[in-house]
Amino acid sequence: MTVRPILVAGEPILATPATPVTEFDEDLARLVEDLFDTNTAANGAGLAANQIGDSRTVFVFDCPDGTGRHHRGHVINPVLETSELPGTQPDPRRDLEGCLSLPGERFPTGRAAWARVTGVDRHGDAVSVEGVGFFARCLQHEADHLAGRLYLSRLVDPHAAEAMRMLERNGWTEPGISWLPGDGPDPFAAGPW
């Protein structure tokens, strides 16, 4: 089991689109396992490779969908499709979103109610996963990571302004900050979302 440090906002790799995977080898298999181990140790719903400093286009997920069904898997080179994004302000109770690269923080974020991601698995075999509710949110969130976007870029005021103040307050505007799941207090003891 390899739990890797999770990079915090301010790291350039988190703002850079990931590189498509072209080699399906043991190194890729280890990356997928490290992502699962790190996500589990962090009590995460999902984790993208760039969050642990790897530029490959890979993410894992381990979360419910809001209908009682639990989803666990990984997608390489994902392509995201969604239903229409809501045109209203996100509900501050129902639409809270968090991120392992922003430990302990949550903000209301508008997301599509349905999402599907297609891609391949670590063997190069086709994968398609889709869901509603929380799982749809997770798929969109992880696809954003691989596009070089933190969920903060989806916020609208007053939450966007509050998030900018939070980044400054926490010192998360410069590179060099990470946290290791299992080492110290759990910033997501109640879950990442």
Side-chain angles (χ1 to χ4, degrees):
M1 179 172 165
T2 303
V3 174
R4 308 243 312 252
I6 297 175
L7 302 177
V8 174
E11 282 294 335
I13 194 170
L14 296 174
T16 304
T19 304
V21 172
T22 57
E23 293 188 35
F24 296 83
D25 54 13
E26 283 304 310
D27 186 51
L28 178 64
R30 277 191 299 278
L31 171 62
V32 170
E33 291 306 314
D34 287 356
L35 285 166
F36 275 122
D37 291 345
T38 304
N39 187 59
T40 299
N43 295 313
L47 186 65
N50 55 355
Q51 290 181 272
I52 62 170
D54 191 299
S55 65
R56 287 176 281 184
T57 309
V58 180
F59 75 77
V60 299
F61 55 88
D62 190 356
C63 65
D65 65 7
T67 68
R69 187 167 173 226
H70 197 90
H71 302 266
R72 186 176 193 275
H74 69 281
V75 183
I76 297 167
N77 300 336
V79 175
L80 175 70
E81 300 172 66
T82 69
S83 58
E84 190 173 329
L85 290 170
T88 59
Q89 280 279 350
D91 184 312
R93 293 164 303 191
R94 197 184 76 229
D95 295 327
L96 277 181
E97 192 164 321
C99 179
L100 296 175
S101 288
L102 296 157
E105 301 293 340
R106 292 176 181 83
F107 291 95
T109 308
R111 294 286 189 180
W114 171 88
R116 174 178 30 229
V117 172
T118 55
V120 296
D121 66 13
R122 67 185 193 174
H123 306 291
D125 297 327
V127 172
S128 179
V129 291
E130 66 181 278
V132 296
F134 185 70
F135 186 47
R137 180 177 293 277
C138 177
L139 294 174
Q140 293 167 80
H141 182 104
E142 299 311 325
D144 272 356
H145 271 301
L146 297 177
R149 279 191 303 262
L150 292 175
Y151 83 99
L152 299 183
S153 69
R154 301 242 180 231
L155 300 181
V156 295
D157 280 330
H159 310 293
E162 183 183 339
M164 296 308 289
R165 288 189 297 273
M166 175 274 301
L167 289 171
E168 290 288 334
R169 184 175 59 249
N170 289 326
W172 294 344
T173 58
E174 300 295 325
I177 302 171
S178 64
W179 67 284
L180 184 63
D183 185 27
D186 180 356
F188 288 108
W193 311 74

